[in-house]
Amino acid sequence: MNELTINLRTESKTPLYEQIYAYIKEDIRNGRIPCKEKLPSTRALAKHLEVSRSTVELAYEQLLSEGYIEAEPYKGYYAAQIEDLYHLQKTKAQVQTVEQPREKYRYDFTPNGVDLKSFPYNVWRKLSKEILVDDKTELFRSGDSKGEYGFRRAICSYLYQARGVECDPGQIIIGAGSDYLLMLLCALLGTHHRIAFEDPTYMQAYRLFSCLSYELIPVGMDKNGMKVSELAQTDADIAYVTPSHQYPTGIVMPIRRRLELLRWADECDGRYIIEDDYDSEFRYKGKPIPSLQGYDAHDKVIYLGTFSKSIAPAIRLSYMVLPAPLMEQYEQKTRFISSTVSKVDQMIVQRFIEEGYFERHLNKTRALYRSRHDVLIEELKPLSSVLKISGEHAGVHLLLTFRNGSTEAELIEQAGREGIRVYGMSDYRIRKDREKEATILLGYANLTENQIKNAVRILRDCWI
Amino acid sequence: MNELTINLRTESKTPLYEQIYAYIKEDIRNGRIPCKEKLPSTRALAKHLEVSRSTVELAYEQLLSEGYIEAEPYKGYYAAQIEDLYHLQKTKAQVQTVEQPREKYRYDFTPNGVDLKSFPYNVWRKLSKEILVDDKTELFRSGDSKGEYGFRRAICSYLYQARGVECDPGQIIIGAGSDYLLMLLCALLGTHHRIAFEDPTYMQAYRLFSCLSYELIPVGMDKNGMKVSELAQTDADIAYVTPSHQYPTGIVMPIRRRLELLRWADECDGRYIIEDDYDSEFRYKGKPIPSLQGYDAHDKVIYLGTFSKSIAPAIRLSYMVLPAPLMEQYEQKTRFISSTVSKVDQMIVQRFIEEGYFERHLNKTRALYRSRHDVLIEELKPLSSVLKISGEHAGVHLLLTFRNGSTEAELIEQAGREGIRVYGMSDYRIRKDREKEATILLGYANLTENQIKNAVRILRDCWI
């Protein structure tokens, strides 16, 4: 082949070399230039197209880089052998994105709500601005995979004061959400474990471990939380628990059961307890219940906490406290895994804690949720003949157990017809067949006192 | 027991009920109040301590909540049975935090560098401020687990234009770094896979899959990248490759090898190719090499990209494009896993892309790295008798293969003695015994032209 007629568009934005490259590439792909065919020399093609030789050279270099042509020393350029290899016809499946239309409810008693109106926007903006104000290249350099030391120190001191957690900043790992930290924990522990879960439980964690191929064992609960006697009869070596405020029942595990659980962990090497302390900041009667980790004398408790509930879900900040032996393993085995939280976010929250904003924010939201909690309880009183309230005085939801023969599905459906979304306990049960009574969860963090009053009045009408 | 003598400090900040609670709790824990012992009534204790009855009631309620005392109806309060259960003596291991003292080098040729001086601080600050300026509660509500749609749309259009990636925003998942996205991919794919790696390779990904218990198979490379003939003889079902700029060799996989690789994937159901397109924004000769994903006609390529190299390591933003069938699995199986990136960060980068800042920033850094690349090549010329340069014209590092009998360890040590850090190819090899020649990596993104000149002059002296 000595000539290639290419219609060059000199007025085009696309550089000439790119036009030449694209033309030859297309001709090789569709077979118009057969494989092994010799291409014109750069000099000849340049002359033919009336462009500079370097333009053609650039086009040939790109074709060479991508492998469409091959250079043979002292001979010239040849089309590479590709046309018979594979059909590039697109037969790709169309993406069916599942964008479920959200059902509209007038009132949504979600148990996972957070009052975002009380989010301290001004403080957040101020801190964010102050942190970004200096051209600190350090802010954008890769950071410590455990999280920045100063931030871990701030969390450490908060956890000691507020939750009775005893640790060193060196034992803390920051991560973008509890889901991520559980995934990291799995990478650390390996998959050969059997994990016991309270039933009902926090299904997000249950599903995550299930995705990661763990064997999961549901363990029943009594009024004191997970039955350790039942746990001891399984071959579980890890127990995932929410002792300070069981999710979703709200049960507080009393000291005696805690000690039984710790003793279970201590009976065999390699047994661990994962304490998910997801929302114990919110307690409306007396002091917060201290963490289980604080009682752990033998390095058996892996402690998890989050700022999703206490600050905002979308800031993606959680932390994990590893017992010393696991932290040593982490340093050797998984420390190479990069942090998932930007330094800017870490520094904002560090200052948010250190400058007292976090405590003030907690006090504010605690007072807010307490009022909503009190209004909800008050409004539910006329229903006391048909239902029993439990899980109150803490967290951001409570439970209604019905004694009038209604089923959970009926209750949800009756409320739904009036535009009110309520949640059924069966969503939280691992063994669905164990359902005995109809239990409904009502979350109140997302609704104002007036909204709660209106909604419960409607519920009263449709439930009696 | 009818009396409890408690020294109340009325001037203390600690509320009186907390003092009473703490005193009784301590006495129960250390056995001074034996188990089953009856406590004074709230009325009696209030009178004895000269405090209000509600103060004592609050203390008792807290002790009840935590399980230190038990209430017997019509009888009163009793110390719970805990003292014989478990010794709370701390025997915890001390945390040995491995804070390795960083060796100080005058010049560090890290291949993972990024020029942070050119980071667009002002734009970043401006965008961050503008996004935070409205009290938008939406910003802090939990977002789409795949990432915000608008941000995915911006990435989608960037990837099509810059990398020839063909996808729909619905196929993109945003994550806080490539490590995280690979962990998420593992949760999606399950652990029963055998993953083939180019050898040498990006060890971060290799180690991650190894931590997650995958069977990993090193596959040799020739000048065109991973040998597909060798791959076909293994029982791998997933191939992890860096076709546009092999890490660390810099090899561009030509079109023919790409098609062979795609054909390998198409030969069996369930085979996939992970294309890690970590730094192909940086190419200093001609156009960028298009992605492998763009040639994939049969939904075989999982595409990974990141803003760590192109913007900054600490912003923690990567993306993954799943082929349609895997995206369907994701929707069913792992969509419940929360996003790891804050909405604020997503919106900053979305606007950074959409308002043209990203393109300008890429052009700026590309020009900067190109100059550094050219200076480095120029300065290395006097060494051409002892070494061969490869992997140039792209990325942010190049390779020096020595032909003078020096070993890699010697070369690193010689440079280190002069305060210069260089990196050996053996760090990137899976099979360490395959090392034939001494190959050194020099990254130049982190060093100014003058630093490069000075450092290479020293290297010339110590290496010849």
Side-chain angles (χ1 to χ4, degrees):
Chain A
M1 177 184 293
N2 286 311
E3 278 189 14
L4 274 172
T5 303
I6 303 173
N7 246 335
L8 292 178
R9 289 154 290 124
T10 45
E11 71 294 342
S12 161
K13 264 196 208 164
T14 313
L16 291 175
Y17 93 87
E18 266 199 59
Q19 296 184 35
I20 299 169
Y21 149 82
Y23 184 90
I24 299 177
K25 174 171 148 180
E26 192 48 37
D27 271 10
I28 292 174
R29 283 174 71 153
N30 63 27
R32 273 197 294 271
I33 302 179
C35 85
K36 302 287 183 194
E37 176 93 1
K38 189 172 189 292
L39 267 74
S41 69
T42 53
R43 182 195 301 264
L45 187 58
K47 203 176 161 201
H48 177 68
L49 296 177
E50 296 179 328
V51 297
S52 80
R53 194 167 163 195
S54 63
T55 300
V56 177
E57 279 169 354
L58 214 50
Y60 277 26
E61 267 177 23
Q62 187 69 26
L63 289 163
L64 266 174
S65 299
E66 298 184 21
Y68 287 98
I69 64 173
E70 282 159 6
E72 291 196 22
Y74 312 112
K75 284 177 146 181
Y77 297 99
Y78 292 82
Q81 187 182 349
I82 61 151
E83 90 284 14
D84 58 346
L85 262 174
Y86 203 71
H87 289 286
L88 284 173
Q89 274 171 336
K90 298 277 164 180
T91 58
K92 279 191 188 176
Q94 277 299 301
V95 181
Q96 300 288 335
T97 310
V98 189
E99 298 287 354
Q100 282 167 343
R102 266 202 176 166
E103 274 189 80
K104 278 282 174 206
Y105 289 94
R106 271 194 293 173
Y107 304 104
D108 186 346
F109 281 98
T110 171
N112 304 314
V114 167
D115 182 85
L116 286 171
K117 290 206 189 69
S118 59
F119 183 82
Y121 295 97
N122 290 331
V123 169
W124 202 264
R125 206 150 50 214
K126 178 180 108 83
L127 293 176
S128 158
K129 196 177 146 193
E130 284 171 11
I131 284 160
L132 285 170
V133 91
D134 303 316
D135 284 12
K136 284 181 282 191
T137 49
E138 270 314 311
L139 259 186
F140 295 94
R141 199 180 298 284
S142 23
D144 190 324
S145 50
K146 285 156 75 172
E148 298 310 294
Y149 186 82
F151 184 36
R152 288 188 275 127
R153 195 185 50 211
I155 291 176
C156 187
S157 123
Y158 163 71
L159 286 179
Y160 179 72
Q161 286 162 33
R163 310 290 313 121
V165 170
E166 295 200 10
C167 68
D168 177 280
Q171 285 171 268
I172 296 181
I173 300 172
I174 312 293
S178 303
D179 291 352
Y180 166 71
L181 285 174
L182 289 178
M183 288 163 92
L184 180 63
L185 187 61
C186 292
L188 175 61
L189 295 171
T191 48
H192 304 290
H193 294 281
R194 293 155 304 284
I195 308 180
F197 271 81
E198 297 157 335
D199 186 14
T201 191
Y202 178 54
M203 288 305 289
Q204 183 86 1
Y206 184 86
R207 290 177 70 188
L208 190 71
F209 282 111
S210 163
C211 263
L212 297 167
S213 315
Y214 284 86
E215 193 185 320
L216 304 180
I217 303 160
V219 173
M221 294 208 296
D222 59 20
K223 68 176 176 37
N224 293 329
M226 182 185 268
K227 290 181 194 161
V228 176
S229 54
E230 197 180 312
L231 170 66
Q233 281 161 25
T234 70
D235 59 354
D237 56 350
I238 294 178
Y240 175 96
V241 290
T242 46
S244 295
H245 187 229
Q246 206 275 335
Y247 195 80
T249 63
I251 289 171
V252 175
M253 189 183 280
I255 179 70
R256 185 181 168 143
R257 182 63 59 85
R258 289 175 181 228
L259 298 178
E260 283 170 14
L261 187 59
L262 288 168
R263 192 163 62 172
W264 166 84
D266 209 32
E267 274 164 9
C268 288
D269 269 355
R271 279 190 182 166
Y272 287 104
I273 299 164
I274 301 176
E275 176 182 20
D276 190 347
D277 200 28
Y278 64 102
D279 82 343
S280 12
E281 288 85 2
F282 300 113
R283 200 170 156 75
Y284 314 122
K285 212 175 137 185
K287 287 158 50 74
I289 305 296
S291 71
L292 176 64
Q293 199 269 5
Y295 297 109
D296 171 26
H298 302 104
D299 294 314
K300 288 296 180 180
V301 175
I302 298 159
Y303 178 90
L304 269 176
T306 180
F307 292 109
S308 296
K309 298 262 172 193
S310 53
I311 304 183
I315 64 163
R316 315 310 303 137
L317 262 173
S318 296
Y319 41 87
M320 172 161 75
V321 182
L322 292 181
L326 276 186
M327 187 41 97
E328 259 172 56
Q329 279 184 44
Y330 167 86
E331 298 281 353
Q332 286 160 27
K333 196 180 158 193
T334 42
R335 181 143 192 180
F336 74 93
I337 299 173
S338 316
S339 172
T340 43
V341 187
S342 76
K343 276 195 197 170
V344 175
D345 284 358
Q346 295 187 49
M347 286 183 68
I348 293 176
V349 181
Q350 179 182 342
R351 290 188 49 187
F352 194 70
I353 297 171
E354 288 178 346
E355 297 176 17
Y357 297 113
F358 184 47
E359 201 185 331
R360 258 172 275 164
H361 176 66
L362 278 181
N363 289 337
K364 184 176 159 187
T365 43
R366 202 182 285 122
L368 196 74
Y369 295 161
R370 183 204 306 257
S371 310
R372 293 175 185 179
H373 164 271
D374 293 349
V375 167
L376 180 56
I377 300 249
E378 186 61 32
E379 292 296 325
L380 286 168
K381 271 191 183 156
L383 284 167
S384 61
S385 59
V386 294
L387 59 81
K388 195 172 70 71
I389 296 174
S390 63
E392 71 274 36
H393 305 312
V396 293
H397 75 270
L398 46 76
L399 297 95
L400 312 180
T401 306
F402 284 75
R403 300 181 286 201
N404 62 348
S406 301
T407 67
E408 189 190 292
E410 283 164 9
L411 294 161
I412 293 172
E413 208 253 303
Q414 286 159 359
R417 271 204 305 265
E418 301 296 328
I420 300 179
R421 185 156 191 199
V422 299
Y423 295 78
M425 178 66 121
S426 56
D427 291 349
Y428 302 85
R429 287 203 188 276
I430 302 168
R431 298 166 295 191
K432 306 288 182 197
D433 55 326
R434 299 279 173 117
E435 205 71 52
K436 281 166 268 169
E437 296 158 309
T439 303
I440 295 292
L441 279 79
L442 295 184
Y444 44 82
N446 246 354
L447 300 168
T448 65
E449 293 177 31
N450 271 333
Q451 286 174 322
I452 292 171
K453 279 181 194 164
N454 292 336
V456 177
R457 278 164 204 177
I458 300 168
L459 286 178
R460 286 204 305 248
D461 287 340
C462 68
W463 278 348
I464 308 198
Chain B
M1 177 186 294
N2 287 310
E3 277 189 13
L4 274 171
T5 303
I6 304 172
N7 247 333
L8 291 177
R9 289 153 292 123
T10 45
E11 70 293 343
S12 160
K13 266 197 205 162
T14 313
L16 290 175
Y17 92 88
E18 266 198 59
Q19 297 184 35
I20 298 169
Y21 148 83
Y23 183 92
I24 298 177
K25 173 171 149 180
E26 193 48 39
D27 272 10
I28 292 174
R29 283 173 72 152
N30 63 27
R32 272 197 294 270
I33 301 180
C35 84
K36 304 287 183 191
E37 176 93 0
K38 187 172 190 292
L39 268 72
S41 69
T42 53
R43 183 195 298 264
L45 188 57
K47 200 177 162 198
H48 178 67
L49 296 176
E50 295 178 329
V51 298
S52 81
R53 194 168 161 192
S54 64
T55 301
V56 177
E57 279 169 353
L58 215 49
Y60 277 25
E61 267 176 24
Q62 187 69 27
L63 290 163
L64 265 175
S65 301
E66 298 185 21
Y68 287 98
I69 65 173
E70 283 159 3
E72 292 195 22
Y74 312 113
K75 283 177 144 183
Y77 298 99
Y78 293 82
Q81 187 182 348
I82 61 151
E83 89 284 15
D84 58 346
L85 263 174
Y86 203 69
H87 289 286
L88 286 171
Q89 273 170 336
K90 297 277 164 182
T91 58
K92 280 190 188 177
Q94 276 299 302
V95 182
Q96 300 288 334
T97 311
V98 189
E99 299 288 354
Q100 282 169 343
R102 268 201 174 168
E103 273 190 82
K104 278 282 174 204
Y105 289 95
R106 270 195 293 172
Y107 304 105
D108 186 347
F109 281 98
T110 171
N112 304 315
V114 166
D115 182 84
L116 285 172
K117 288 205 191 67
S118 59
F119 182 83
Y121 294 96
N122 290 332
V123 170
W124 202 263
R125 206 152 46 215
K126 178 180 107 82
L127 293 176
S128 157
K129 197 177 144 192
E130 283 171 11
I131 283 160
L132 285 171
V133 91
D134 303 316
D135 284 12
K136 284 181 282 194
T137 50
E138 270 315 310
L139 259 187
F140 294 94
R141 199 180 299 283
S142 26
D144 191 327
S145 50
K146 286 156 77 173
E148 297 310 294
Y149 186 83
F151 184 37
R152 289 188 275 127
R153 195 185 47 211
I155 291 176
C156 187
S157 125
Y158 163 72
L159 285 179
Y160 179 72
Q161 288 162 34
R163 309 290 313 119
V165 170
E166 294 199 11
C167 69
D168 176 279
Q171 285 171 268
I172 298 181
I173 300 171
I174 312 292
S178 304
D179 291 352
Y180 167 71
L181 285 175
L182 290 178
M183 288 163 91
L184 181 63
L185 187 61
C186 293
L188 175 60
L189 296 170
T191 48
H192 303 290
H193 294 281
R194 293 153 305 283
I195 308 180
F197 271 82
E198 298 158 334
D199 185 12
T201 191
Y202 178 53
M203 289 305 289
Q204 184 86 1
Y206 184 86
R207 290 177 70 189
L208 191 71
F209 282 112
S210 163
C211 262
L212 296 168
S213 315
Y214 285 86
E215 192 185 324
L216 304 179
I217 303 160
V219 173
M221 293 209 298
D222 58 20
K223 67 177 176 38
N224 293 329
M226 182 185 267
K227 290 181 194 161
V228 177
S229 54
E230 197 179 312
L231 170 66
Q233 280 160 25
T234 70
D235 60 354
D237 57 350
I238 293 177
Y240 175 96
V241 291
T242 47
S244 296
H245 187 229
Q246 206 273 336
Y247 195 80
T249 64
I251 289 171
V252 175
M253 187 183 281
I255 179 70
R256 185 179 168 145
R257 182 63 58 87
R258 287 175 183 229
L259 298 178
E260 283 169 15
L261 187 60
L262 287 169
R263 193 163 60 172
W264 167 83
D266 208 32
E267 273 163 9
C268 288
D269 268 355
R271 279 190 182 167
Y272 287 103
I273 299 164
I274 301 175
E275 176 181 21
D276 190 347
D277 200 29
Y278 64 102
D279 81 344
S280 12
E281 289 86 2
F282 300 112
R283 199 170 159 76
Y284 313 121
K285 213 175 136 185
K287 287 157 51 74
I289 304 297
S291 70
L292 176 64
Q293 199 270 3
Y295 297 110
D296 171 26
H298 302 104
D299 294 314
K300 288 297 181 180
V301 175
I302 298 158
Y303 178 89
L304 267 177
T306 180
F307 292 109
S308 295
K309 298 263 173 195
S310 54
I311 304 182
I315 65 162
R316 315 311 303 136
L317 263 173
S318 296
Y319 41 87
M320 172 161 75
V321 181
L322 291 181
L326 276 186
M327 187 41 96
E328 259 172 58
Q329 279 183 44
Y330 168 85
E331 299 281 354
Q332 285 160 27
K333 197 180 156 192
T334 42
R335 180 142 194 182
F336 75 93
I337 299 173
S338 317
S339 172
T340 43
V341 187
S342 76
K343 277 194 196 170
V344 175
D345 285 358
Q346 295 188 49
M347 287 183 68
I348 293 175
V349 181
Q350 179 182 342
R351 290 188 48 187
F352 194 70
I353 297 171
E354 288 179 345
E355 297 176 17
Y357 297 113
F358 185 46
E359 201 185 332
R360 259 171 276 165
H361 176 65
L362 278 181
N363 288 338
K364 184 176 160 189
T365 44
R366 201 182 286 121
L368 196 73
Y369 295 161
R370 183 204 306 260
S371 312
R372 292 176 185 179
H373 164 271
D374 294 349
V375 167
L376 180 57
I377 300 252
E378 187 61 32
E379 292 296 325
L380 286 168
K381 272 190 183 156
L383 284 167
S384 59
S385 59
V386 294
L387 59 81
K388 193 171 72 68
I389 295 174
S390 63
E392 69 274 38
H393 305 310
V396 294
H397 76 270
L398 45 76
L399 296 95
L400 312 179
T401 305
F402 285 75
R403 300 181 286 203
N404 63 349
S406 300
T407 66
E408 188 189 293
E410 282 165 11
L411 294 161
I412 293 172
E413 208 253 304
Q414 284 158 1
R417 270 205 304 265
E418 301 296 330
I420 300 179
R421 184 156 192 197
V422 300
Y423 295 78
M425 178 66 121
S426 55
D427 291 349
Y428 302 86
R429 286 202 189 276
I430 301 168
R431 297 165 297 192
K432 306 288 181 197
D433 55 325
R434 299 279 174 118
E435 206 71 52
K436 283 166 265 170
E437 299 158 308
T439 303
I440 295 291
L441 279 79
L442 295 185
Y444 44 82
N446 246 353
L447 299 168
T448 65
E449 294 177 28
N450 271 333
Q451 287 175 322
I452 292 171
K453 281 181 194 163
N454 292 337
V456 177
R457 279 164 203 176
I458 300 169
L459 286 178
R460 288 204 303 251
D461 287 340
C462 67
W463 278 348
I464 311 197

